[in-house]
Amino acid sequence: MDLDDNGRLRNVFWADARSRAACKEFGDVVTFDTTYLVNRYDMPFAPFVGVNHHGQSILLGCGLISHEDTKSFSWLFETWKTCMWGCAPKAIITDQCLGMKNAIQKVFPDTRHRLCIWHIMKKVPEKFGMYNAYEQISSCMRKAVWNSLTIKQFEDAWDGFIKKYELQNNTWLQGLYHERKLWVPAYVNDCFWAGMSSTQRSEGMNAYFDGYIHSKTTLKQFVEQYENALANKVESENEEDGKSWRSFIPLITKSGLEKQFQSVYTNEKVREFHEEFVGRLECSCCQKKESVSEYEVKEWITYGEEETRIQVPFIVDFNAETNEAHCNCRLFEYRGMVCRHQLTVWSQMGVERVPDKYVLRRWNKNVKRVHTKIRINYDNSSTSIEARRHDNMCNLFNEIADLAEDSQEKYDKEVRTQERLEHNNYFFQEIGTQESVLNVNSQPSYMGQSMWPNMMPHNMRPNMAQGGSIFQFSPGSCPTETGFNQFVYAFPSSQANMPTSFSSHDWRGQSNIASKQVWGGGQSSFLDTQGQCVGGPPPSFTQMLNAPDNAEE
């Protein structure tokens, strides 16, 4: 909470553990808007909203602010950034509020800022409705904005309709042109926006709070109703997860390219892919004579009430050695989905499998998302055995983190130890990890040096970005409050499997197969045939690390 000099409430920010964890996956692109008044102070409700792997809106925190000015927005953005481990979003979409714009430049200087194009275009009737040539002005402006693939095309089209209808002195259009780099698709679609171009995601999120939050809601009620409202959202995501795991969208063809996406993407994203895959039927492709790598793909597009059909040319740059294809429609860059023009060229060139960079981890149904394992009281699935295992393993490694944070020497020692453990397959392969944490950083990321894991190809490990993990996730204290050995045998489902794994290679590589000794330095603990400890309580994980006999290991 933020209080003024008189101790009165000024601003509030709220984010639960699930939202914080979800930000690791989907916090690269957010929309932010203030359209909702809450409590007796008439404080605008301001949600941070992202897009999950099903294309659904997901809440990444929210605020209540007393004033829509730079100071209030700066406080809210700083608080959100701190809550999200100090990591700013890669891109943010807002309305034309000057206070928001100034705060973003101050708090998120490296974040790509985009203005809501829906808010801008809906003002066209208000600004030009009294003109006799309103229909023509509206049509020309929309064509300049939406039909321009390049900056030059936009500049020419905009300049043309301004001169044609003598709108040089229109202050609203002058302001839009001055900020064109913040909202015109030709300028902004070189960046990944997860398919978003407006703040309607934020406004749509407000609908989930209808019936729960209103102008008379107190702050205490807000916290309570917040969870009730989000329970429906979580249930919807869990339902879509189940559908994507249990069922699949049938193949349209026997193409290996189609199967590549169908086997990896969530059902909703497979449907989006199929729209582009089927859209190839409206496209024809020919190689440009002056270039060996450029292909012209002409697409039949239907528009207008009269359903006029025209052929629109697109240019696809194709690399025959790597099978990489770049289209000037930039659908992949903007939405993260390959376009029909790329698919047309790949099909013509006989490509049956595209490079992994075009199959994004963000839309992968097989990735175990961290936020789904967070134990929260409004999500029953978070109490599953998988979530409990994850919770306990995170708390187990918190002990390592506590030791390593004291000095650089201890930190370096623990890093080397973990590397050796992984290399010798004494731990990581026992829990199913197939690839090296270190080697994974050498993989290419989508759009270059992206710091967000969802921008990775689908075969990237969760929560690992190029150059190292950007977050160190640490949930609350371990419910069992025990050491490593107690933790191992705490799970009923683990009792049959874990002793076998640790009997061949006991912890930290010490082997004592015959006696099943759990190594820990000092007094030894043994496991009987039922896997129970004899000879005293087992040492804690911290004791094992600090034992003098294990200095080298």
Side-chain angles (χ1 to χ4, degrees):
M1 293 186 181
D2 179 32
L3 304 178
D4 61 20
D5 295 335
N6 297 320
R8 292 176 299 186
L9 182 66
R10 184 164 54 190
N11 302 304
V12 180
F13 173 77
W14 175 263
D16 61 15
R18 192 178 196 276
S19 295
R20 295 184 70 206
C23 195
K24 298 178 183 181
E25 297 278 354
F26 309 117
D28 54 344
V29 184
V30 299
T31 68
F32 178 80
D33 191 34
T34 56
T35 60
Y36 213 84
L37 295 181
V38 176
N39 79 33
R40 60 190 177 90
Y41 299 104
D42 289 338
M43 300 174 72
F45 175 59
F48 294 86
V49 181
V51 177
N52 70 7
H53 48 306
H54 300 290
Q56 299 172 321
S57 298
I58 186 168
L59 190 65
L60 304 174
C62 61
L64 299 174
I65 57 176
S66 59
H67 298 87
E68 297 188 63
D69 55 17
T70 300
K71 183 178 181 180
S72 295
F73 287 127
S74 295
W75 177 89
L76 186 60
F77 292 158
E78 284 280 8
T79 306
W80 183 81
K81 179 181 176 181
T82 301
C83 183
M84 302 307 169
W85 297 272
C87 192
K90 302 293 291 184
I92 188 170
I93 305 173
T94 72
D95 61 24
Q96 291 178 278
C97 175
L98 182 59
M100 288 185 195
K101 180 180 178 181
N102 293 336
I104 289 172
Q105 292 175 348
K106 176 183 177 182
V107 182
F108 303 143
D110 298 322
T111 297
R112 189 74 176 269
H113 183 202
R114 179 173 190 164
L115 300 179
C116 173
I117 195 170
W118 180 80
H119 276 115
I120 293 174
M121 299 305 292
K122 81 170 186 176
K123 293 180 181 179
V124 173
E126 172 189 342
K127 301 295 182 180
F128 300 108
M130 73 292 295
Y131 284 64
N132 293 331
Y134 163 71
E135 294 293 341
Q136 293 84 347
I137 293 174
S138 176
S139 177
C140 288
M141 180 178 176
R142 294 180 188 279
K143 287 181 179 178
V145 171
W146 294 112
N147 294 352
S148 299
L149 294 176
T150 66
I151 293 175
K152 185 178 186 307
Q153 288 177 356
F154 168 78
E155 295 285 354
D156 293 343
W158 184 273
D159 186 60
F161 97 86
I162 291 291
K163 291 180 178 178
K164 181 176 181 180
Y165 298 103
E166 299 179 352
L167 299 171
Q168 292 89 340
N169 296 325
N170 187 290
T171 55
W172 184 67
L173 289 177
Q174 289 176 353
L176 289 183
Y177 183 76
H178 178 72
E179 294 187 320
R180 63 193 183 280
K181 295 181 180 180
L182 296 179
W183 67 278
V184 177
Y187 282 94
V188 299
N189 278 0
D190 61 328
C191 176
F192 180 72
W193 298 97
M196 297 186 290
S197 61
S198 74
T199 59
Q200 287 179 301
R201 292 270 179 175
S202 298
E203 296 173 6
M205 182 61 72
N206 291 338
Y208 279 91
F209 292 91
D210 287 341
Y212 297 95
I213 297 173
H214 49 79
S215 60
K216 303 299 181 182
T217 301
T218 66
L219 291 180
K220 180 178 181 297
Q221 291 171 331
F222 169 77
V223 175
E224 296 170 350
Q225 298 291 26
Y226 173 94
E227 293 185 352
N228 293 333
L230 285 187
N232 182 45
K233 201 70 176 170
V234 173
E235 182 180 354
S236 176
E237 180 177 331
N238 292 339
E239 182 179 345
E240 288 302 316
D241 280 339
K243 288 180 180 178
S244 293
W245 292 330
R246 294 189 305 266
S247 62
F248 60 90
I249 306 300
L251 293 171
I252 299 175
T253 67
K254 295 183 179 180
S255 167
L257 192 151
E258 182 191 1
K259 187 175 181 180
Q260 181 182 4
F261 286 87
Q262 183 233 33
S263 63
V264 173
Y265 277 7
T266 61
N267 286 353
E268 184 59 33
K269 289 303 169 179
V270 172
R271 292 188 184 97
E272 286 188 26
F273 170 79
H274 276 166
E275 289 183 13
E276 299 303 314
F277 195 71
V278 173
R280 298 177 307 156
L281 300 176
E282 297 285 348
C283 300
S284 59
C285 177
C286 64
Q287 188 172 10
K288 299 189 71 173
K289 296 181 179 179
E290 61 272 19
S291 174
V292 295
S293 62
E294 286 190 352
Y295 291 80
E296 184 179 67
V297 179
K298 293 183 178 180
E299 178 187 359
W300 283 101
I301 295 178
T302 304
Y303 72 96
E305 296 181 358
E306 299 179 357
E307 295 188 348
T308 304
R309 285 173 61 82
I310 60 172
Q311 264 194 326
V312 178
F314 296 88
I315 304 300
V316 177
D317 187 25
F318 176 72
N319 187 324
E321 295 182 359
T322 63
N323 287 335
E324 294 181 352
H326 173 266
C327 181
N328 65 348
C329 78
R330 295 184 294 184
L331 182 72
F332 178 70
E333 285 76 8
Y334 154 67
R335 189 187 294 179
M337 182 64 64
V338 292
C339 69
R340 59 195 62 188
H341 317 118
Q342 291 171 298
L343 291 169
T344 299
V345 173
W346 278 324
S347 295
Q348 178 161 314
M349 300 304 295
V351 176
E352 284 289 295
R353 183 179 181 85
V354 302
D356 285 340
K357 65 179 288 186
Y358 297 105
V359 187
L360 296 190
R361 179 187 183 278
R362 171 186 267 275
W363 315 131
N364 193 330
K365 65 181 179 182
N366 301 313
V367 172
K368 293 184 178 181
R369 312 285 175 178
V370 173
H371 70 281
T372 64
K373 305 169 189 174
I374 302 301
R375 301 178 69 176
I376 49 178
N377 61 340
Y378 57 86
D379 180 14
N380 293 331
S381 66
S382 65
T383 61
S384 66
I385 187 66
E386 291 82 4
R388 289 167 55 199
R389 290 194 189 103
H390 179 268
D391 197 28
N392 278 273
M393 289 301 295
C394 287
N395 284 288
L396 169 65
F397 281 95
N398 279 345
E399 295 190 46
I400 300 178
D402 289 341
L403 289 173
E405 68 183 14
D406 293 339
S407 68
Q408 186 66 35
E409 180 181 358
K410 290 183 179 180
Y411 172 82
D412 293 338
K413 176 183 177 181
E414 287 307 318
V415 170
R416 290 193 300 269
T417 300
Q418 294 303 319
E419 290 174 0
R420 287 199 297 271
L421 284 172
E422 181 188 352
H423 177 73
N424 293 327
N425 296 324
Y426 286 137
F427 181 73
F428 283 91
Q429 287 192 2
E430 291 291 344
I431 62 173
T433 299
Q434 298 299 318
E435 63 271 67
S436 167
V437 175
L438 298 180
N439 290 341
V440 93
N441 294 327
S442 65
Q443 296 289 336
S445 66
Y446 169 59
M447 294 290 288
Q449 301 293 326
S450 172
M451 288 299 293
W452 290 88
N454 53 42
M455 306 297 283
M456 296 297 154
H458 69 90
N459 58 353
M460 299 295 287
R461 281 197 46 189
N463 303 319
M464 293 298 295
Q466 184 166 343
S469 176
I470 57 175
F471 297 117
Q472 296 299 325
F473 171 58
S474 300
S477 61
C478 179
T480 60
E481 297 182 358
T482 58
F484 177 74
N485 293 312
Q486 290 98 326
F487 158 75
V488 169
Y489 300 104
F491 285 106
S493 61
S494 300
Q495 291 177 4
N497 299 324
M498 295 299 287
T500 302
S501 300
F502 283 86
S503 63
S504 298
H505 300 290
D506 290 316
W507 189 246
R508 296 278 166 173
Q510 303 298 318
S511 180
N512 193 337
I513 301 176
S515 62
K516 293 187 178 180
Q517 179 180 8
V518 181
W519 188 92
Q523 180 182 1
S524 299
S525 297
F526 297 87
L527 303 179
D528 59 21
T529 56
Q530 283 73 42
Q532 301 299 318
C533 295
V534 295
S540 69
F541 192 68
T542 304
Q543 291 173 320
M544 288 190 278
L545 292 178
N546 292 332
D549 295 340
N550 198 30
E552 289 300 320
E553 288 296 321

